[in-house]
Amino acid sequence: MKLSHEEVEHIALLARLGSSEEELERFREQLSHILESFEVLQQVDTADVPPTAQSVDLQDVVRADEVSPSLPHSQIMANAPQQEAGCFRVRAVLE
Amino acid sequence: MSYETVIGLEVHAQLLTKSKMFCRCSADYASAPPNTHVCPVCLGMPGVLPTVNQQAVEYAVMTALALNCTIPESTKFDRKNYPYPDLMKGYQISQYDAPLSRDGWITIEADGARRVGITRVHLEEDTAKLLHRTADGKPYSLVDVNRAGVPLMEIVAEPDLRSPEEARQYLIKMRSILQYLGVSTGNMEEGSFRCDANISIRPQGSADYLSKVEVKNMNSFKAVHRALAYEAERQREVLEGGGRLVQETRGWVEERGVTVSQRSKEYAHDYRYFPEPDLTPLALSRAWVEELRSRLPELPDAKRERFVNDYGLPLFSATLLTGSKAAADYFEACLKDGAAEPKRVKAVFDWIFGDFSRLLNATDTEIDSSKLSPQHLVELLDLVDRGALSGPAAKAVFEEMFHTGGRAADIVARHDLAQISDALQVGEVVDQVIASNGQAVADFKAGKEPALTFLVGQVMRATKGRTNPKVANELLREKLAG
Ligand SMILES: [Zn+2]
């Protein structure tokens, strides 16, 4: 399956990635290759196989409802380029 | 043409767990400074491992059982992807195709009892809080992550509601069930209980669904009612004006009383759900589900029925009382000792929905955190029953008990409020009243019965409401007959 230029643009937008025309074309080819590999997998007859949500054979990993101290505020904010009033400052989010 | 309104509601309720859904940060963020209940997990740092809070699963399954849902043998979590700054990870952990329950119902009161279908109950995590600011005319936003990761239960209902009033009834019942279960505060103003609505109209008798409009930003029961009434009317006007309705999201603007179209987040519905690889599936064993079922408390409908049967309350009063678990508990605590005499039942009910309600509202207090305990109210009612306190005096004592938490007998003694029933003592006052109200006395003697009520009133006034009116009445008749 070949991805269209528009589909790659859409994916880039969803991932909030800015890409040049040249990059979009390169990704279009690479992503198309990946999809082709999945097309091979899709040829396998899975009619009798239940859907798998997990690849590790674990179940019921839960924890008790107990509180532990959170990280100090200074560490939480350590990577934030812009801060104000104890909050992360970001570009305007239009509701 | 007449139209039918079709409404489906989606409720999001924060669960009353101590810690967050997938990490051990405290979920009690109400009074915490911004970004102080945050760790690498809820901050969405790479390489962290979320773990499911067992208590949240338990609360959600209990809710699902109370809503008559079917619980599957197992459940799993999924990632719901969308890029928005209130999601630290770029996705929300939610449940997609294997929710922890499906296919339930609740009963609402709308022209008689009626069932409303519940599509599903599932678990997810709450998002961060965004604050919108402006500096030099330029808008920007602030992010507080404390709320991100708080357990959120989503309850989706079938489009079975047919009016804004039914929608309101549904929400009242739903909140009351959650409060009875003790799984959520149900506080809509504080945002721990939220509601989005899907609403469409269609020609009466048609089974088609026309374009659904999703309405958001309704922050009170009243707002839900107003927004849905407005939206149904708006849709009718569009259709009757020959226009077409489009499927869209609209926000309720409380101050203006209108809904306005919200430009959809671009590709908002391209969520690309996939199974959450960091969490394991959960088995919901039959034994555990049955154990939870056996631990369900008495729910509003059952309590209401019992109140009608056991206390002889009228259906309307029982509905009012059991709408709030705290009020229902208070009521029962007042009646737990001894037989529930009809007179006492009525007195307790009248106090709760009379002066008590008024004072609770005025002081913004919940009944279960009031200083006035059920035991103290019972002591007051006993004094009134014994004739030791007149009606008006009881009101004054009640008010002081409410504010100070004091006991009725102490307050009566301190303010010298005890009812005067002693014939000699009342007789003196009666003599004075007769002496100084010649006209009324003459009227009564001339057969004008209302004049007596006036004279009793004068006796009450002279004693600041403390006289036993029955004794005053008898003495007046006696003395005026002589
Ligand atoms: Zn955390």
Side-chain angles (χ1 to χ4, degrees):
Chain A
M1 183 196 161
K2 286 264 180 272
L3 281 171
S4 70
H5 189 79
E6 290 70 36
E7 283 170 322
V8 180
E9 269 188 323
H10 178 188
I11 293 166
L13 177 68
L14 287 177
R16 294 294 186 267
L17 292 174
S19 311
S20 68
E21 283 298 306
E22 182 214 349
E23 280 175 323
L24 284 177
E25 182 52 30
R26 194 165 79 235
F27 294 150
R28 193 182 70 79
E29 278 174 24
Q30 291 176 347
L31 290 170
S32 294
H33 281 312
I34 294 170
L35 283 178
E36 277 159 20
S37 302
F38 276 92
E39 271 169 7
V40 175
L41 286 174
Q42 279 186 329
Q43 291 165 12
V44 180
D45 180 9
T46 58
D48 296 330
V49 183
T52 311
Q54 264 293 344
S55 56
V56 290
D57 196 16
L58 281 173
Q59 195 166 292
D60 303 330
V61 178
V62 294
R63 64 178 175 84
D65 182 24
E66 285 159 6
V67 174
S68 296
S70 300
L71 277 194
H73 184 257
S74 59
Q75 281 190 42
I76 289 301
M77 305 305 291
N79 291 336
Q82 280 195 297
Q83 307 176 20
E84 185 180 314
C87 294
F88 297 96
R89 180 171 167 167
V90 297
R91 276 190 289 176
V93 179
L94 299 176
E95 294 264 289
Chain B
M1 186 186 294
S2 77
Y3 292 93
E4 179 180 47
T5 307
V6 179
I7 300 168
L9 296 181
E10 221 173 76
V11 163
H12 285 93
Q14 286 179 340
L15 294 174
L16 278 171
T17 54
K18 296 188 202 72
S19 63
K20 290 188 180 181
M21 185 67 221
F22 301 114
C23 64
R24 286 169 175 266
C25 290
S26 167
D28 180 16
Y29 62 88
S31 55
N35 296 310
T36 53
H37 290 188
V38 182
C39 73
V41 173
C42 52
L43 196 55
M45 299 301 273
V48 296
L49 190 63
T51 318
V52 170
N53 184 335
Q54 168 75 17
Q55 183 67 63
V57 179
E58 193 169 311
Y59 281 165
V61 171
M62 281 174 75
T63 305
L65 289 171
L67 303 180
N68 308 291
C69 290
T70 305
I71 315 291
E73 303 268 349
S74 78
T75 187
K76 70 174 174 74
F77 290 90
D78 300 276
R79 290 187 181 180
K80 180 182 182 178
N81 299 278
Y82 63 97
Y84 207 63
D86 64 3
L87 283 174
M88 309 315 292
K89 303 187 282 285
Y91 59 84
Q92 178 186 35
I93 303 180
S94 180
Q95 298 198 280
Y96 181 51
D97 55 352
L100 59 80
S101 67
R102 290 183 195 274
D103 301 330
W105 49 266
I106 64 170
T107 308
I108 61 163
E109 271 59 56
D111 301 328
R114 199 160 80 66
R115 276 190 186 185
V116 178
I118 303 292
T119 316
R120 58 191 275 161
V121 177
H122 76 238
L123 272 173
E124 55 190 37
E125 55 180 337
D126 209 344
T127 58
K129 198 163 81 187
L130 296 175
L131 306 157
H132 304 291
R133 298 272 186 276
T134 313
D136 304 327
K138 285 191 181 151
Y140 62 96
S141 300
L142 298 177
V143 188
D144 173 6
V145 189
N146 284 348
R147 195 181 67 186
V150 168
L152 203 58
M153 178 170 65
E154 179 170 319
I155 304 167
V156 184
E158 293 291 301
D160 290 345
L161 300 163
R162 293 291 173 269
S163 70
E165 178 54 22
E166 286 192 7
R168 206 177 67 91
Q169 292 298 333
Y170 170 87
L171 289 176
I172 289 173
K173 179 55 82 61
M174 183 61 72
R175 182 178 66 168
S176 155
I177 291 172
L178 300 189
Q179 289 173 337
Y180 271 60
L181 291 169
V183 301
S184 175
T185 63
N187 190 318
M188 217 165 169
E189 282 73 17
E190 286 171 9
S192 55
F193 183 89
R194 303 165 215 160
C195 167
D196 297 332
N198 283 305
I199 174 169
S200 62
I201 63 171
R202 63 186 177 194
Q204 201 82 44
S206 155
D208 297 343
Y209 290 104
L210 297 178
S211 292
K212 276 192 306 193
V213 169
E214 188 177 8
V215 184
K216 292 177 172 288
N217 297 343
M218 300 169 290
N219 298 325
S220 65
F221 289 142
K222 207 172 131 200
V224 171
H225 194 283
R226 288 177 67 206
L228 293 178
Y230 171 86
E231 185 55 26
E233 180 59 18
R234 186 193 68 84
Q235 293 186 11
R236 196 182 61 77
E237 280 173 14
V238 170
L239 286 184
E240 290 187 341
R244 273 179 55 97
L245 290 167
V246 289
Q247 185 156 341
E248 61 177 341
T249 299
R250 298 179 70 88
W252 170 246
V253 185
E254 179 78 30
E255 313 80 60
R256 288 163 53 204
V258 297
T259 63
V260 295
S261 185
Q262 293 181 327
R263 227 157 277 293
S264 60
K265 293 170 196 164
E266 45 212 43
Y267 311 107
H269 296 295
D270 199 350
Y271 292 137
R272 296 163 296 144
Y273 281 100
F274 63 85
E276 168 56 78
D278 289 342
L279 298 171
T280 66
L282 302 178
L284 304 166
S285 86
R286 298 303 89 180
W288 183 64
V289 169
E290 287 317 308
E291 192 223 313
L292 290 183
R293 195 194 300 278
S294 72
R295 272 167 40 199
L296 288 181
E298 183 181 44
L299 293 167
D301 286 349
K303 198 184 281 290
R304 185 182 57 175
E305 202 183 317
R306 187 166 61 77
F307 276 18
V308 169
N309 292 334
D310 290 8
Y311 300 111
L313 280 176
L315 188 63
F316 177 78
S317 305
T319 304
L320 201 60
L321 199 50
T322 55
S324 151
K325 180 172 186 293
D329 286 348
Y330 196 99
F331 172 81
E332 283 210 282
C334 290
L335 297 168
K336 73 171 188 282
D337 298 321
E341 303 249 330
K343 187 172 161 242
R344 176 54 67 94
V345 169
K346 186 171 184 310
V348 170
F349 181 86
D350 288 347
W351 276 110
I352 290 179
F353 284 97
D355 287 41
F356 206 179
S357 256
R358 176 177 61 79
L359 291 166
L360 288 169
N361 283 336
T363 55
D364 201 15
T365 312
E366 298 297 327
I367 194 167
D368 49 353
S369 51
S370 167
K371 286 181 194 151
L372 204 165
S373 71
Q375 182 53 41
H376 288 185
L377 177 57
V378 167
E379 290 174 6
L380 174 68
L381 295 179
D382 287 345
L383 285 178
V384 174
D385 282 358
R386 285 210 316 269
L389 205 55
S390 72
K395 275 175 169 292
V397 171
F398 183 88
E399 187 142 354
E400 181 161 342
M401 288 168 73
F402 178 87
H403 290 298
T404 63
R407 302 176 73 155
D410 298 340
I411 294 167
V412 167
R414 183 156 9 100
H415 296 296
D416 197 17
L417 288 168
Q419 178 156 274
I420 310 165
S421 300
D422 176 67
L424 271 178
Q425 231 180 319
V426 178
E428 278 174 29
V429 183
V430 164
D431 288 341
Q432 287 163 17
V433 166
I434 288 174
S436 54
N437 289 280
Q439 185 60 48
V441 168
D443 286 350
F444 178 73
K445 284 185 169 165
K448 287 186 186 161
E449 192 66 16
L452 188 73
T453 312
F454 171 79
L455 291 170
V456 172
Q458 293 306 305
V459 175
M460 298 302 288
R461 217 174 117 185
T463 53
K464 298 199 178 85
R466 289 167 55 212
T467 304
N468 184 334
K470 201 162 152 267
V471 176
N473 194 304
E474 283 164 9
L475 281 174
L476 275 163
R477 280 186 190 281
E478 203 175 287
K479 288 176 189 277
L480 292 175

